[in-house]
Structure formats: structure tokens, C-alpha cells
């Protein structure tokens, strides 16, 4: 199994950045296949901290980055990110980054609609990142999206913009939001085209070649299984499929190319945005986890909601996400807690369920079934071998493996790249 896909196994922000960075150093190509600049990965390399949201993380390690067709690309955000990392000394050129010519573009009107709709939802808002991700995917499925390749055909672009604006201006006006002028938008896009088009190509061809040459491909997922548009806590989800199967369709390869699926899970749970969170802690322990874990969104800066590890939820993510092994992160945040609690299932009224049901009402009413275990007092921070971990911490990890029905492939014990206990190399299958 030469390739690896990394996906989040909870609600995102599981610490994918560090794991992806480590794996990227062992890969030849790194591919983004879904999501957009709603994602946020922090990579620490020497003295530099790179905050990436659209660029594949491997670029920082000098690996070829590919933005697949399944990604929704805001061209202005992409260029701004390229300029930002250039100021940090990382040059991104068409030699180091390729962009699927058939990827959907996010335009300013998408962010405007995203925000107008969220404002109109009031208390029922989803808590989106406001970046236009949902509206862009809607346009893709509705077959009216502007794609990267359209930038090369001004006439096509003009026609398509006309159709798009008929739809969006009607909607925006309905929400009382400012509308967009076609000529202005066309000029804005045509001005971007000379910088965007040199990156564009049929990336599926390059990926096919890489695969046949036996090169190692790392698929870098964004968000997480519980934010998947089908399998997550709908409607409090993102607008793409975040499961590993999407790595194939979102980049132009067949399903067998995906390889080993590594699911990232935090040793506790967090969530940004609204939606069900059965094991959420609204008390001092939740506050403590947030403070110790520095739980603030990379993209939004919002404080993340915190709670106990929900093994039932991660087991569900393991099944629907096709996860072969887990990378468990931030175990050290639990150091010193006298007692730890793990969610093992849910109670809804008189019924006990092993998984979270799909209906929103039932999800909101689901009360976790908990089991408790003794914590540990010694520090796990920076441990690089099992021998350095307290016995209770190992017991906690083993219990997570049992309950989630997935082996822990990798254990991360601090933000530092080398503070990792590797059980099995995902690239070795
Ligand atoms: P959207 O993807 O901006 O439409 O946001 C939909 C939901 O997904 C909201 O709850 C966001 O907070 C959440 N979300 C989107 N991207 C991320 C991410 O990278 N990490 C965690 N949550 C995210």
C-alpha cells in the first residue's frame, strides 16, 4: 500500500497539521481533495510557523502540492496565501503547485451569500466559516459553477457569469444584501487569470503517472468525518464529503489508489461552530481542556467547545470513513486529571444506541453513556516511546483502541514533530 490518506475522525482540528507534515516528509506528492480555505493547518518548521488553509501542507517540505478537482478554490485567497508564504521565504511556483483545471472557483458572491444566510438564520445558524464554501459547492452540483479552466476562455466566462449572477443577485437581493455587477466581476477574474492559469492542468494525468511510477502520494483531508455532508451531524456540517473515499473522486484517481487511511483523533473532543456535541463539558473541566489544549480555531479564531473523548462517535467515523488506524493527538492535555471519562454510546429516552442517529432531534436529545477510569499524574508530554508513558495513560489508549475498533498507529505527545510514538508506518500499509 504505497499511498496514505489522512482524515479527521471527529469534528476537525484534531492536530492533522503535525501528522500531515511528518507524513509529507516521507511522500513524493501531497494532494488536497475536498474543502477549501475553511481548513486551517498550522505547521512549525524551525523558527517559522506556517498557517496554511488552501495550500497542501507538503509544500513546506519541498514536496509537489496538488489541489484536486474536489476542492473549491477562492483564487484571491489562493494568491494571498501564496504571497503570505513567499514573505516567509517559501516560494510557490507552477513547479511546486498544480491546480486541477476542473476545480470549482469560489467567488466573492459566495462568501456574501454564506454570510447573508447565516445572519438570516439567527439562533439556528450553522456557524460556518463564512468563506463561501457551501454556496460554491451548491453551484457545482447545480452545474452553473465557474471553474478554473473557464478563466482561459473570456467569452465562456462572461456567459457563465451572466447565468450565475441572475441566480445569485436574486438571492442576495432577497436577503437584503448588496448585489454584484457582472462587468466588475468579469474584470476582477480576468485580472487574476494570468497568475492562476500557469498552475492549472489536468492533475489526474500527473497523478496517474505518479501512481504508475510507484511514487508515494499523501492525500490531505480537511475538516473531519463528523462534518461530512452525508455522514456528519447534518445540517451542522461542511458541504463536502470528508471521508477517505473522496480522495479518489476529488483528485481523479480510482478508489484503490487511496491506500492506508489514517484517522486523526484528539484524546478528547472539540468542535467549532454549532451542532450536536453529546460529550461536551460546559464546566470547569471543559474550560481546562480548552485552555491547556489552546483550543482556538486556526481560521476563525473562535474558542472551540471541549468535551470528553466520544468513542462511539469515533467508532462511527472509523466505519464510514474507512479508517485503518488512528493517530491519537494531545494526550498530554489530559495529564493530571484525576478521573477520565469516555463516551461509549448514547441514551435517547429509554433506548440505548451504539451510534449517533441521523435525525437532528434525536441527535440533540442523545445523552452519552459514560465509563470512567483513573487518570495519571505524571507528564506524557514529549514522550517518544511507550516506556515513557504512565501505565494509566497506556490503559487509556488501549481502551480507546478497543472501543473504536481501530488500532492506534501513531501517538502524538506534543506539537513538536519528533514527539511521536510510531507504532506502524502508514506508508508501509
Ligand atoms: P463551512 O465549511 O464554512 O461551511 O462551515 C461548516 C461547519 O464546518 C462549521 O461548523 C465550521 O465551523 C466547520 N468547519 C469548517 N472547516 C473547519 C475546519 O477546518 N475545522 C473545524 N471545523 C470546520
Amino acid at each position: 500500500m504505497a499511498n496514505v490518506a489522512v482524515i479527521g475522525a471527529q469534528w476537525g482540528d484534531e492536530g492533522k497539521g503535525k501528522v500531515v507534515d511528518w507524513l509529507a516528509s516521507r511522500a513524493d506528492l501531497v494532494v488536497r481533495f475536498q474543502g477549501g480555505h475553511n481548513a486551517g493547518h498550522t505547521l512549525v518548521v524551525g523558527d517559522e510557523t506556517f498557517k496554511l488553509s488552501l495550500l497542501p501542507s507538503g509544500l513546506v517540505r519541498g514536496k509537489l502540492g496538488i489541489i484536486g478537482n474536489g476542492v473549491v478554490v477562492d483564487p484571491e485567497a489562493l494568491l494571498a496565501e501564496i504571497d503570505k508564504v513567499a514573505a516567509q521565504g517559501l516560494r510557490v511556483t507552477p513547479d511546486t503547485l498544480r491546480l486541477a483545471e476542473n476545480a470549482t472557483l469560489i467567488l466573492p458572491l459566495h462568501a456574501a451569500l454564506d454570510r447573508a444566510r447565516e445572519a438570516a438564520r439567527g439562533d439556528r445558524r450553522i456557524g460556518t466559516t463564512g468563506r463561501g464554501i457551501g454556496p460554491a459547492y451548491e453551484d457545482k452540483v447545480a452545474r452553473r459553477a465557474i471553474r478554473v479552466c473557464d478563466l482561459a476562455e473570456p467569452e465562456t466566462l462572461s456567459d457563465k457569469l451572466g447565468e450565475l449572477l441572475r441566480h445569485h443577485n436574486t438571492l442576495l437581493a432577497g436577503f437584503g444584501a448588496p448585489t454584484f455587477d457582472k462587468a466588475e466581476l468579469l474584470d476582477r477574474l480576468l485580472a487574476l487569470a494570468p497568475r492562476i492559469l500557469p498552475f492549472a492542468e489536468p492533475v489526474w494525468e500527473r497523478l496517474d503517472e505518479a501512481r504508475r511510477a510507484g511514487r508515494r502520494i499523501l492525500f490531505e483531508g480537511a475538516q473531519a468525518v463528523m462534518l461530512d455532508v452525508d455522514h456528519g451531524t447534518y445540517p451542522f456540517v461542511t458541504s463536502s464529503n470528508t471521508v477517505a473515499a473522496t480522495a479518489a473522486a476529488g483528485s481523479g484517481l480510482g478508489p484503490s489508489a487511496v491506500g492506508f487511511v489514517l484517522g486523526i483523533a484528539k484524546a478528547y473532543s472539540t468542535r467549532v461552530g454549532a451542532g450536536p456535541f453529546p460529550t461536551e463539558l460546559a464546566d470547569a473541566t471543559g474550560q481546562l481542556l480548552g485552555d491547556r489544549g489552546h483550543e482556538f480555531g486556526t481560521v476563525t479564531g473562535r474558542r472551540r467547545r471541549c468535551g470528553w473523548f466520544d468513542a462511539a462517535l469515533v467508532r462511527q467515523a472509523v466505519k464510514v470513513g474507512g479508517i485503518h488506524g488512528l493517530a491519537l493527538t494531545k494526550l498530554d492535555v489530559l495529564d493530571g486529571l484525576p478521573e477520565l471519562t469516555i463516551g461509549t454510546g448514547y441514551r435517547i429516552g429509554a433506548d440505548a444506541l451504539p451510534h449517533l442517529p441521523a435525525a437532528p432531534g434525536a441527535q440533540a436529545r442523545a445523552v452519552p453513556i459514560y465509563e470512567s477510569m483513573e487518570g495519571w499524574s505524571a507528564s506524557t508530554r514529549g514522550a517518544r516511546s511507550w516506556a515513557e508513558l504512565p501505565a494509566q495513560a497506556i490503559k487509556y489508549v488501549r481502551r480507546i483502541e478497543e472501543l473504536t475498533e481501530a488500532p492506534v498507529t501513531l501517538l502524538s505527545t506534543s506539537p513538536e514533530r519528533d514527539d511521536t510514538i510510531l507504532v506502524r508506518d502508514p506508508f508501509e500499509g
Side-chain angles (χ1 to χ4, degrees):
M1 229 189 275
N3 302 331
V4 175
V6 174
I7 60 170
Q10 293 157 318
W11 282 291
D13 311 310
E14 294 92 351
K16 275 193 290 290
K18 169 182 155 171
V19 178
V20 166
D21 181 36
W22 179 77
L23 288 168
S25 66
R26 316 192 65 251
D28 298 305
L29 296 85
V30 182
V31 184
R32 280 280 312 267
F33 55 90
Q34 49 73 229
H37 63 313
N38 49 347
H41 292 170
T42 305
L43 303 169
V44 182
V45 180
D47 295 337
E48 279 300 337
T49 299
F50 292 94
K51 286 188 187 290
L52 304 182
S53 60
L54 194 50
L55 292 172
S57 301
L59 282 170
V60 172
R61 296 281 163 202
K63 301 302 164 80
L64 181 67
I66 296 201
I67 298 179
N69 55 278
V71 177
V72 281
V73 181
D74 180 329
E76 289 176 348
L78 177 62
L79 295 176
E81 197 168 317
I82 289 174
D83 291 343
K84 189 177 79 177
V85 297
Q88 292 183 279
L90 178 68
R91 247 169 67 78
V92 177
T93 69
D95 289 333
T96 60
L97 175 72
R98 309 304 298 166
L99 169 63
E101 59 179 4
N102 51 346
T104 292
L105 292 184
I106 300 181
L107 307 184
L109 49 85
H110 292 123
L113 181 61
D114 195 352
R115 289 176 194 162
R117 271 201 312 226
E118 280 284 271
R121 282 185 188 118
D123 286 351
R124 299 169 70 88
R125 68 184 170 277
I126 292 167
T128 72
T129 58
R131 306 243 158 142
I133 308 295
Y137 276 117
E138 289 165 31
D139 281 348
K140 169 177 168 166
V141 177
R143 296 166 292 192
R144 59 174 171 257
I146 310 285
R147 308 200 299 175
V148 171
C149 51
D150 297 330
L151 296 177
E153 295 184 3
E155 272 182 36
T156 311
L157 187 61
S158 175
D159 288 348
K160 289 185 78 172
L161 269 182
E163 191 198 336
L164 195 68
L165 281 174
R166 255 195 309 282
H167 178 83
H168 279 275
N169 279 344
T170 311
L171 273 175
L172 287 167
F175 280 107
T179 55
F180 284 80
D181 177 68
K182 180 178 157 187
E184 248 174 60
L185 204 50
L186 184 61
D187 283 352
R188 200 160 154 182
L189 286 174
L190 289 175
L192 294 169
R195 278 196 75 193
I196 293 290
L197 286 173
F199 294 104
E201 69 173 19
V203 298
W204 63 268
E205 256 176 0
R206 185 180 296 267
L207 288 169
D208 178 55
E209 269 165 36
R211 186 161 132 76
R212 281 189 286 115
R215 302 184 73 206
R216 287 174 161 185
I217 305 174
L218 175 65
F219 298 97
E220 179 182 1
Q223 292 85 44
V225 176
M226 285 303 140
L227 289 171
D228 182 283
V229 69
D230 285 291
H231 300 290
T233 46
Y234 190 92
F236 300 98
V237 292
T238 192
S239 295
S240 61
N241 284 111
T242 57
V243 292
T246 316
S251 62
L253 282 166
S256 62
V258 176
F260 188 91
V261 180
L262 185 67
I264 318 288
K266 233 180 264 197
Y268 50 100
S269 307
T270 63
R271 166 161 214 174
V272 282
F277 183 172
T279 62
E280 182 170 14
L281 289 165
D283 59 4
T285 308
Q287 183 79 25
L288 181 88
L289 294 176
D291 291 345
R292 277 206 196 160
H294 306 291
E295 297 296 353
F296 293 91
T298 314
V299 168
T300 59
R302 281 181 284 177
R303 193 178 171 94
R304 298 177 185 137
R305 301 154 66 192
C306 296
W308 294 122
F309 187 83
D310 189 340
L313 188 102
V314 174
R315 183 174 59 236
Q316 202 166 326
V318 164
K319 309 288 178 191
V320 300
I323 290 169
H324 295 110
L326 289 174
L328 198 64
T329 63
K330 293 191 150 184
L331 186 67
D332 59 298
V333 172
L334 303 179
D335 290 353
L337 290 177
E339 191 179 61
L340 299 174
T341 301
I342 302 180
T344 60
Y346 309 97
R347 205 171 288 291
I348 300 172
D351 299 328
L353 283 182
H355 61 265
L356 201 58
Q363 285 186 354
R365 286 197 310 279
V367 177
I369 299 170
Y370 280 128
E371 67 174 42
S372 296
M373 55 190 285
E374 201 186 315
W376 54 89
S377 50
S379 167
T380 62
R381 197 171 169 88
R384 296 182 183 186
S385 70
W386 292 102
E388 291 173 57
L389 292 180
Q392 272 305 117
I394 297 176
K395 228 169 136 183
Y396 183 73
V397 175
R398 295 291 175 237
R399 189 64 186 136
I400 283 177
E401 289 183 313
E402 275 168 21
L403 289 169
T404 60
E405 298 177 24
V408 168
T409 302
L410 200 150
L411 192 69
S412 159
T413 56
S414 97
E416 296 300 320
R417 206 155 78 118
D418 295 333
D419 292 342
T420 300
I421 302 173
L422 180 67
V423 180
R424 175 175 168 195
D425 180 348
F427 276 114
E428 302 302 330

